[in-house]
Amino acid sequence: MSDEDDLEDFEPDQDDFEKEEDEKETEEGEDYRKEGEEFPEEWLPTPLTEDMMKEGLSLLCKTGSGLAHAYVKLEVKERDLTDIYLLRSYIHLRYVDVSENHLTDLSPLNYLTHLLWLKADGNRLRSAQLNELPYLQIASFAYNQITDTEGISHPRLETLNLKGDQKRWPSDLIGLPGGPPHSYPLGWKFITT
C-alpha cells in the first residue's frame, strides 16, 4: 500500500473531534471573559430581576378595588440597574425608589397608574418623560442629565426635584424656583438647590 492509500483509509476518531471542539470552546470562553473584563462593570446590562423585586418590595396594602392586597413600595437603589422593564407587571406600586443606578429610560413606569411618589436620583436620565400619571405627587430626578422637561405633566404633581448639574438644565428651568408661570402650574414646588 502506498502512503496515499493509508491517508484515504484513515478516519479520525469521533472523540478526537469532540476534544478539539471542547478546547476551542474553552479558548473562546477565556477570550470572552478577557474582553468582558476590559469594560467597566457599569456598562454591562443589568436588568431588574424577580429576586431583586422580592428583596425590594414592602408595604402590603389593599389594591385600588379594595378586594385584594399587593405590595405598593419598591426600593431598588444602588443595584447598577440598566433596565426596569419588569416593573410593567407591578401595576399596584405607589412608591418607587430606583435611585443610584444606570437607568436611561423610565418608560416602564408608565404602567404604574397608581404611582404617588417616584425617586430616580443619580441615574443617567436625559429626560423625565412619562405618560400622564394621574396620582403622582412627588417626583425626584436629582443628579441626572435632564435636558428637557417634556413629559412632566402630571395633574397632581406638587414637588419636582431637579437638583444637580445646572449646566445641563434646559433653558426654561434656569432661574427657578417658581418656574415661568406660562410653562408650569403655579402650585408646583421646584427643588433646585
Short mmCIF file of all heavy atoms in Angstrom, two decimals, residues 83-123:
data_model
loop_
_atom_site.label_atom_id
_atom_site.label_comp_id
_atom_site.label_asym_id
_atom_site.label_seq_id
_atom_site.Cartn_x
_atom_site.Cartn_y
_atom_site.Cartn_z
N ASP A 83 -32.01 48.44 33.34
CA ASP A 83 -33.30 48.13 32.73
C ASP A 83 -34.31 47.79 33.83
O ASP A 83 -34.03 46.96 34.69
CB ASP A 83 -33.14 46.94 31.78
CG ASP A 83 -34.42 46.50 31.12
OD1 ASP A 83 -35.41 47.25 31.17
OD2 ASP A 83 -34.42 45.40 30.54
N ILE A 84 -35.47 48.44 33.79
CA ILE A 84 -36.52 48.17 34.79
C ILE A 84 -37.79 47.68 34.11
O ILE A 84 -38.90 47.88 34.60
CB ILE A 84 -36.79 49.40 35.67
CG1 ILE A 84 -37.13 50.62 34.83
CG2 ILE A 84 -35.63 49.66 36.61
CD1 ILE A 84 -37.59 51.83 35.62
N TYR A 85 -37.65 47.02 32.99
CA TYR A 85 -38.78 46.53 32.20
C TYR A 85 -39.75 45.69 33.05
O TYR A 85 -40.96 45.75 32.86
CB TYR A 85 -38.27 45.71 31.01
CG TYR A 85 -39.36 45.22 30.10
CD1 TYR A 85 -39.89 46.05 29.12
CD2 TYR A 85 -39.86 43.92 30.21
CE1 TYR A 85 -40.91 45.61 28.28
CE2 TYR A 85 -40.86 43.47 29.37
CZ TYR A 85 -41.39 44.32 28.42
OH TYR A 85 -42.39 43.88 27.60
N LEU A 86 -39.23 44.95 33.98
CA LEU A 86 -40.03 44.07 34.82
C LEU A 86 -41.11 44.84 35.60
O LEU A 86 -42.16 44.28 35.93
CB LEU A 86 -39.12 43.31 35.80
CG LEU A 86 -39.74 42.25 36.68
CD1 LEU A 86 -40.39 41.16 35.84
CD2 LEU A 86 -38.70 41.65 37.59
N LEU A 87 -40.89 46.11 35.86
CA LEU A 87 -41.86 46.90 36.62
C LEU A 87 -43.21 47.02 35.93
O LEU A 87 -44.22 47.29 36.58
CB LEU A 87 -41.32 48.31 36.88
CG LEU A 87 -40.24 48.44 37.93
CD1 LEU A 87 -39.87 49.89 38.13
CD2 LEU A 87 -40.66 47.82 39.24
N ARG A 88 -43.25 46.81 34.63
CA ARG A 88 -44.50 46.92 33.88
C ARG A 88 -45.61 46.05 34.47
O ARG A 88 -46.78 46.40 34.39
CB ARG A 88 -44.28 46.52 32.43
CG ARG A 88 -43.37 47.43 31.67
CD ARG A 88 -43.00 46.83 30.34
NE ARG A 88 -44.19 46.64 29.53
CZ ARG A 88 -44.35 47.07 28.30
NH1 ARG A 88 -43.37 47.70 27.71
NH2 ARG A 88 -45.46 46.86 27.64
N SER A 89 -45.25 44.93 35.05
CA SER A 89 -46.25 44.00 35.56
C SER A 89 -46.61 44.23 37.03
O SER A 89 -47.46 43.54 37.57
CB SER A 89 -45.79 42.56 35.34
OG SER A 89 -44.56 42.35 35.98
N TYR A 90 -45.98 45.20 37.67
CA TYR A 90 -46.28 45.50 39.08
C TYR A 90 -47.13 46.77 39.15
O TYR A 90 -46.72 47.79 39.69
CB TYR A 90 -44.98 45.65 39.88
CG TYR A 90 -44.30 44.32 40.09
CD1 TYR A 90 -43.49 43.76 39.11
CD2 TYR A 90 -44.46 43.63 41.28
CE1 TYR A 90 -42.87 42.53 39.29
CE2 TYR A 90 -43.85 42.40 41.48
CZ TYR A 90 -43.06 41.87 40.48
OH TYR A 90 -42.44 40.64 40.68
N ILE A 91 -48.33 46.69 38.64
CA ILE A 91 -49.17 47.88 38.43
C ILE A 91 -49.68 48.52 39.71
O ILE A 91 -50.15 49.65 39.67
CB ILE A 91 -50.36 47.55 37.50
CG1 ILE A 91 -51.22 46.44 38.12
CG2 ILE A 91 -49.87 47.15 36.12
CD1 ILE A 91 -52.52 46.20 37.39
N HIS A 92 -49.58 47.84 40.84
CA HIS A 92 -50.11 48.39 42.08
C HIS A 92 -49.07 49.20 42.87
O HIS A 92 -49.40 49.73 43.93
CB HIS A 92 -50.67 47.27 42.96
CG HIS A 92 -51.81 46.56 42.32
ND1 HIS A 92 -53.04 47.14 42.13
CD2 HIS A 92 -51.91 45.31 41.79
CE1 HIS A 92 -53.85 46.30 41.53
NE2 HIS A 92 -53.19 45.18 41.30
N LEU A 93 -47.85 49.30 42.36
CA LEU A 93 -46.83 50.06 43.08
C LEU A 93 -47.23 51.53 43.17
O LEU A 93 -47.70 52.13 42.21
CB LEU A 93 -45.48 49.94 42.37
CG LEU A 93 -44.79 48.59 42.51
CD1 LEU A 93 -43.54 48.54 41.64
CD2 LEU A 93 -44.43 48.30 43.96
N ARG A 94 -47.02 52.11 44.38
CA ARG A 94 -47.32 53.53 44.61
C ARG A 94 -46.09 54.33 44.95
O ARG A 94 -46.07 55.54 44.75
CB ARG A 94 -48.33 53.65 45.75
CG ARG A 94 -49.65 52.99 45.46
CD ARG A 94 -50.58 53.10 46.64
NE ARG A 94 -51.68 52.15 46.49
CZ ARG A 94 -52.45 51.76 47.48
NH1 ARG A 94 -52.26 52.22 48.69
NH2 ARG A 94 -53.42 50.89 47.26
N TYR A 95 -45.07 53.68 45.52
CA TYR A 95 -43.83 54.34 45.94
C TYR A 95 -42.66 53.59 45.32
O TYR A 95 -42.47 52.40 45.62
CB TYR A 95 -43.71 54.33 47.46
CG TYR A 95 -44.94 54.83 48.17
CD1 TYR A 95 -45.92 53.94 48.62
CD2 TYR A 95 -45.14 56.19 48.37
CE1 TYR A 95 -47.06 54.39 49.26
CE2 TYR A 95 -46.28 56.66 49.00
CZ TYR A 95 -47.23 55.74 49.44
OH TYR A 95 -48.36 56.21 50.07
N VAL A 96 -41.89 54.25 44.48
CA VAL A 96 -40.80 53.58 43.77
C VAL A 96 -39.51 54.39 43.93
O VAL A 96 -39.48 55.59 43.65
CB VAL A 96 -41.13 53.41 42.27
CG1 VAL A 96 -39.93 52.86 41.51
CG2 VAL A 96 -42.33 52.50 42.09
N ASP A 97 -38.45 53.71 44.38
CA ASP A 97 -37.13 54.33 44.50
C ASP A 97 -36.16 53.52 43.65
O ASP A 97 -35.83 52.38 43.98
CB ASP A 97 -36.68 54.34 45.96
CG ASP A 97 -35.36 55.09 46.17
OD1 ASP A 97 -34.68 55.42 45.16
OD2 ASP A 97 -35.00 55.34 47.33
N VAL A 98 -35.73 54.10 42.53
CA VAL A 98 -34.76 53.47 41.63
C VAL A 98 -33.49 54.32 41.57
O VAL A 98 -32.81 54.36 40.55
CB VAL A 98 -35.35 53.24 40.22
CG1 VAL A 98 -36.41 52.17 40.24
CG2 VAL A 98 -35.89 54.53 39.63
N SER A 99 -33.15 54.97 42.67
CA SER A 99 -32.01 55.88 42.72
C SER A 99 -30.67 55.16 42.61
O SER A 99 -30.56 53.98 42.95
CB SER A 99 -32.02 56.65 44.04
OG SER A 99 -33.18 57.42 44.14
N GLU A 100 -29.68 55.93 42.17
CA GLU A 100 -28.28 55.48 42.13
C GLU A 100 -28.11 54.21 41.31
O GLU A 100 -27.48 53.25 41.74
CB GLU A 100 -27.73 55.28 43.55
CG GLU A 100 -27.89 56.47 44.47
CD GLU A 100 -27.25 57.75 43.96
OE1 GLU A 100 -26.21 57.67 43.28
OE2 GLU A 100 -27.81 58.82 44.21
N ASN A 101 -28.68 54.20 40.12
CA ASN A 101 -28.50 53.11 39.18
C ASN A 101 -27.92 53.69 37.89
O ASN A 101 -27.35 54.78 37.92
CB ASN A 101 -29.83 52.40 38.94
CG ASN A 101 -30.21 51.51 40.12
OD1 ASN A 101 -29.55 50.54 40.41
ND2 ASN A 101 -31.29 51.87 40.81
N HIS A 102 -28.07 53.01 36.79
CA HIS A 102 -27.56 53.48 35.50
C HIS A 102 -28.69 53.54 34.48
O HIS A 102 -28.51 53.21 33.31
CB HIS A 102 -26.44 52.56 35.00
CG HIS A 102 -25.31 52.43 35.96
ND1 HIS A 102 -24.44 53.45 36.21
CD2 HIS A 102 -24.94 51.41 36.77
CE1 HIS A 102 -23.56 53.06 37.13
NE2 HIS A 102 -23.84 51.82 37.48
N LEU A 103 -29.85 53.95 34.92
CA LEU A 103 -31.04 53.96 34.07
C LEU A 103 -31.00 55.14 33.09
O LEU A 103 -30.63 56.25 33.46
CB LEU A 103 -32.30 54.06 34.91
CG LEU A 103 -32.52 52.91 35.89
CD1 LEU A 103 -33.73 53.19 36.77
CD2 LEU A 103 -32.69 51.61 35.14
N THR A 104 -31.44 54.87 31.87
CA THR A 104 -31.58 55.91 30.86
C THR A 104 -33.02 56.03 30.39
O THR A 104 -33.35 56.94 29.64
CB THR A 104 -30.67 55.63 29.64
OG1 THR A 104 -31.02 54.35 29.10
CG2 THR A 104 -29.20 55.65 30.02
N ASP A 105 -33.87 55.10 30.83
CA ASP A 105 -35.26 55.06 30.36
C ASP A 105 -36.18 54.68 31.52
O ASP A 105 -35.95 53.68 32.19
CB ASP A 105 -35.37 54.03 29.24
CG ASP A 105 -36.78 53.87 28.73
OD1 ASP A 105 -37.54 54.85 28.71
OD2 ASP A 105 -37.14 52.73 28.34
N LEU A 106 -37.21 55.48 31.71
CA LEU A 106 -38.19 55.20 32.76
C LEU A 106 -39.54 54.77 32.20
O LEU A 106 -40.52 54.70 32.93
CB LEU A 106 -38.38 56.44 33.65
CG LEU A 106 -37.19 56.88 34.47
CD1 LEU A 106 -37.53 58.14 35.25
CD2 LEU A 106 -36.72 55.79 35.42
N SER A 107 -39.62 54.50 30.92
CA SER A 107 -40.91 54.21 30.28
C SER A 107 -41.69 53.06 30.92
O SER A 107 -42.92 53.08 30.89
CB SER A 107 -40.75 53.99 28.78
OG SER A 107 -39.93 52.89 28.52
N PRO A 108 -41.05 52.03 31.52
CA PRO A 108 -41.87 51.00 32.18
C PRO A 108 -42.74 51.56 33.31
O PRO A 108 -43.74 50.96 33.67
CB PRO A 108 -40.83 50.02 32.72
CG PRO A 108 -39.68 50.15 31.78
CD PRO A 108 -39.64 51.62 31.45
N LEU A 109 -42.39 52.71 33.85
CA LEU A 109 -43.19 53.32 34.91
C LEU A 109 -44.54 53.82 34.39
O LEU A 109 -45.45 54.10 35.18
CB LEU A 109 -42.43 54.46 35.57
CG LEU A 109 -41.12 54.08 36.27
CD1 LEU A 109 -40.44 55.33 36.81
CD2 LEU A 109 -41.36 53.07 37.37
N ASN A 110 -44.69 53.96 33.09
CA ASN A 110 -45.96 54.40 32.51
C ASN A 110 -47.10 53.44 32.86
O ASN A 110 -48.27 53.83 32.80
CB ASN A 110 -45.85 54.54 30.99
CG ASN A 110 -44.99 55.72 30.59
OD1 ASN A 110 -44.99 56.74 31.26
ND2 ASN A 110 -44.27 55.56 29.51
N TYR A 111 -46.79 52.21 33.20
CA TYR A 111 -47.81 51.21 33.52
C TYR A 111 -48.25 51.29 34.98
O TYR A 111 -49.21 50.63 35.37
CB TYR A 111 -47.30 49.80 33.20
CG TYR A 111 -47.10 49.61 31.72
CD1 TYR A 111 -45.94 50.01 31.09
CD2 TYR A 111 -48.11 49.04 30.96
CE1 TYR A 111 -45.76 49.85 29.73
CE2 TYR A 111 -47.94 48.87 29.59
CZ TYR A 111 -46.77 49.29 28.99
OH TYR A 111 -46.61 49.12 27.63
N LEU A 112 -47.56 52.08 35.78
CA LEU A 112 -47.87 52.19 37.21
C LEU A 112 -48.82 53.36 37.44
O LEU A 112 -48.45 54.41 37.93
CB LEU A 112 -46.58 52.38 38.02
CG LEU A 112 -45.45 51.38 37.77
CD1 LEU A 112 -44.28 51.65 38.69
CD2 LEU A 112 -45.93 49.96 37.91
N THR A 113 -50.06 53.15 37.10
CA THR A 113 -51.03 54.25 37.11
C THR A 113 -51.42 54.70 38.52
O THR A 113 -52.09 55.71 38.67
CB THR A 113 -52.29 53.86 36.33
OG1 THR A 113 -52.82 52.65 36.89
CG2 THR A 113 -51.97 53.67 34.85
N HIS A 114 -51.02 53.97 39.56
CA HIS A 114 -51.31 54.36 40.94
C HIS A 114 -50.10 55.01 41.61
O HIS A 114 -50.15 55.27 42.82
CB HIS A 114 -51.76 53.14 41.75
CG HIS A 114 -53.00 52.50 41.22
ND1 HIS A 114 -54.25 53.04 41.40
CD2 HIS A 114 -53.18 51.39 40.46
CE1 HIS A 114 -55.15 52.27 40.81
NE2 HIS A 114 -54.53 51.27 40.23
N LEU A 115 -49.06 55.27 40.86
CA LEU A 115 -47.82 55.82 41.41
C LEU A 115 -48.06 57.18 42.06
O LEU A 115 -48.62 58.09 41.44
CB LEU A 115 -46.77 55.94 40.30
CG LEU A 115 -45.34 56.19 40.73
CD1 LEU A 115 -44.80 55.03 41.56
CD2 LEU A 115 -44.45 56.38 39.50
N LEU A 116 -47.63 57.33 43.32
CA LEU A 116 -47.76 58.58 44.07
C LEU A 116 -46.42 59.29 44.21
O LEU A 116 -46.36 60.51 44.25
CB LEU A 116 -48.28 58.31 45.49
CG LEU A 116 -49.65 57.68 45.65
CD1 LEU A 116 -49.88 57.25 47.09
CD2 LEU A 116 -50.70 58.69 45.23
N TRP A 117 -45.36 58.51 44.34
CA TRP A 117 -44.04 59.03 44.72
C TRP A 117 -42.97 58.31 43.91
O TRP A 117 -42.97 57.07 43.85
CB TRP A 117 -43.87 58.76 46.22
CG TRP A 117 -42.63 59.21 46.87
CD1 TRP A 117 -42.38 60.43 47.43
CD2 TRP A 117 -41.44 58.43 47.10
NE1 TRP A 117 -41.13 60.45 47.97
CE2 TRP A 117 -40.53 59.23 47.79
CE3 TRP A 117 -41.08 57.13 46.77
CZ2 TRP A 117 -39.27 58.78 48.16
CZ3 TRP A 117 -39.82 56.67 47.13
CH2 TRP A 117 -38.95 57.50 47.82
N LEU A 118 -42.08 59.06 43.29
CA LEU A 118 -41.02 58.48 42.47
C LEU A 118 -39.70 59.15 42.80
O LEU A 118 -39.59 60.38 42.80
CB LEU A 118 -41.32 58.69 40.98
CG LEU A 118 -40.20 58.32 40.00
CD1 LEU A 118 -39.85 56.84 40.09
CD2 LEU A 118 -40.59 58.70 38.58
N LYS A 119 -38.70 58.35 43.06
CA LYS A 119 -37.34 58.86 43.29
C LYS A 119 -36.42 58.14 42.32
O LYS A 119 -36.23 56.93 42.39
CB LYS A 119 -36.90 58.61 44.73
CG LYS A 119 -35.59 59.27 45.06
CD LYS A 119 -35.27 59.17 46.53
CE LYS A 119 -33.95 59.87 46.82
NZ LYS A 119 -33.55 59.70 48.23
N ALA A 120 -35.86 58.91 41.38
CA ALA A 120 -34.96 58.36 40.36
C ALA A 120 -33.67 59.17 40.32
O ALA A 120 -33.11 59.43 39.26
CB ALA A 120 -35.65 58.37 39.00
N ASP A 121 -33.17 59.57 41.48
CA ASP A 121 -31.95 60.37 41.58
C ASP A 121 -30.72 59.57 41.16
O ASP A 121 -30.68 58.35 41.30
CB ASP A 121 -31.73 60.83 43.02
CG ASP A 121 -32.85 61.69 43.55
OD1 ASP A 121 -33.69 62.14 42.76
OD2 ASP A 121 -32.88 61.93 44.77
N GLY A 122 -29.71 60.28 40.65
CA GLY A 122 -28.41 59.67 40.38
C GLY A 122 -28.40 58.60 39.33
O GLY A 122 -27.68 57.60 39.46
N ASN A 123 -29.16 58.77 38.27
CA ASN A 123 -29.14 57.84 37.15
C ASN A 123 -28.51 58.54 35.94
O ASN A 123 -27.79 59.52 36.12
CB ASN A 123 -30.56 57.35 36.84
CG ASN A 123 -31.00 56.28 37.80
OD1 ASN A 123 -30.54 55.16 37.74
ND2 ASN A 123 -31.90 56.63 38.71
#
